[in-house]
Amino acid sequence: MSHSALSKAWGANRAAIGPWITTDSEWSIETLAHCGFDFVVIDCQHSLLDEVSAGRLLKGLANAPAAGIVRVSRNEPGRIGRVLDAGADAVIVPLVNDANEAAAAVAACHYSPAGVRSFGPFRAGLGFDVKALEERVSCFVMIETRKGVENAAEICGVKGVAGVFIGPADLSVDMGLPPNAAFSDKPPAALTEAIDKVVKATKAAGIIAGKPAASAADAARSASAGFRLLTLGADRTLLRERAVQVMKEMTKGTAG
Ligand code: 3PY
Ligand code: MG
């Protein structure tokens, strides 16, 4: 069962949209979580945030309408369990290459006998109901290597995988392409085919496909291709883009 903000978007057959959180600021995450986004993703893999800072930042979402997702730094049950104990609504687990790795990510979200999560929720309000604690979280795995693409059908078929988030940068690098190849005007056919293969596998398994979107136009294209979880920028890039735009507009309006 997904967070209501995600289910609402998907129930309306639209993509859920949200930004990456890469800075250690309770004020920034709280502000962004009240901007109309469906979710925010705290990024413990490509920032200086770790799962401890993620736990603290999740507190900023206490009264927010947006879901709180955490991309953990690696596929490791201790890290996954910690952010779930701190109230994450979902995890995104990077670099999942095969069904065994996907099953390990899912197991980290479930208590015995289904999984390996250790019991110890510590966020006030989470309660102590094992079933409810398991059901409130979703496990997304990342496919971002050639091996992951090769095994896409098996990964998507693992019970408990809520969706696959594609990492186009890592996938491009693994394919010997520039990291931004997916966002060029004419992405290489091999990359497009690999991404299409993953999306097809998610559709066959009836699970969610996600990816970063480079722009609003890219988000629209991705949504019509079937993507239902799209990230659009990060806290730092959103701040910079708006600041540069405001400064430009104000300079124009105040020029002598
Ligand atoms: C990638 O593109 O590799 C990513 O991890 C995107 O977040
Ligand atoms: Mg990546």
Side-chain angles (χ1 to χ4, degrees):
M1 190 175 49
S2 312
H3 184 281
S4 58
L6 300 175
S7 323
K8 202 168 143 200
W10 297 332
N13 199 23
R14 69 169 179 83
I17 295 171
W20 294 95
I21 302 294
T22 60
T23 55
D24 199 355
S25 163
E26 288 158 52
W27 305 104
S28 298
I29 189 170
E30 185 182 42
T31 303
L32 286 170
H34 285 267
C35 282
F37 292 117
D38 303 297
F39 64 88
V40 294
V41 200
I42 302 170
D43 191 359
C44 298
Q45 189 191 27
H46 291 299
S47 71
L48 292 181
L49 301 174
D50 57 18
E51 284 77 10
V52 176
S53 14
R56 187 162 34 74
L57 291 175
L58 284 166
K59 284 175 67 182
L61 303 181
N63 299 308
I69 304 178
V70 178
R71 173 161 70 177
V72 289
S73 50
R74 62 190 166 91
N75 190 358
E76 197 268 309
R79 286 164 205 266
I80 294 172
R82 255 182 149 178
V83 298
L84 296 181
D85 283 350
D89 299 304
V91 285
I92 295 181
V93 180
L95 292 163
V96 168
N97 293 309
D98 57 33
N100 284 339
E101 292 179 9
V106 171
C109 300
H110 289 272
Y111 300 108
S112 178
V116 298
R117 183 175 169 191
S118 175
F119 191 83
F122 60 83
R123 196 51 198 288
L126 279 182
F128 298 100
D129 181 324
V130 170
K131 195 160 176 278
L133 284 164
E134 285 186 323
E135 282 182 351
R136 69 175 296 285
V137 303
S138 306
C139 180
F140 296 94
V141 298
M142 290 193 73
I143 291 186
E144 47 185 350
T145 58
R146 283 171 298 166
K147 200 164 170 218
V149 173
E150 218 175 279
N151 295 322
E154 291 80 5
I155 291 172
C156 293
V158 170
K159 189 167 175 266
V161 168
V164 168
F165 193 84
I166 297 174
D170 275 313
L171 180 57
S172 299
V173 170
D174 194 40
M175 293 175 82
L177 299 167
N180 60 353
F183 301 124
S184 61
D185 289 341
K186 208 169 174 308
L191 181 59
T192 310
E193 279 162 25
I195 292 175
D196 287 349
K197 180 178 172 186
V198 178
V199 177
K200 258 199 200 129
T202 60
K203 284 181 182 162
I207 61 173
I208 297 294
K211 73 186 264 295
S215 62
D218 185 37
R221 269 194 305 274
S222 304
S224 31
F227 285 95
R228 286 291 172 269
L229 189 75
L230 295 172
T231 55
L232 196 64
D235 43 10
R236 279 166 30 255
T237 54
L238 293 169
L239 179 65
R240 185 182 61 225
E241 280 162 20
R242 182 71 184 131
V244 167
Q245 187 194 354
V246 168
M247 185 55 186
K248 250 193 211 151
E249 287 166 5
M250 290 213 177
T251 309
K252 216 192 303 167
T254 55

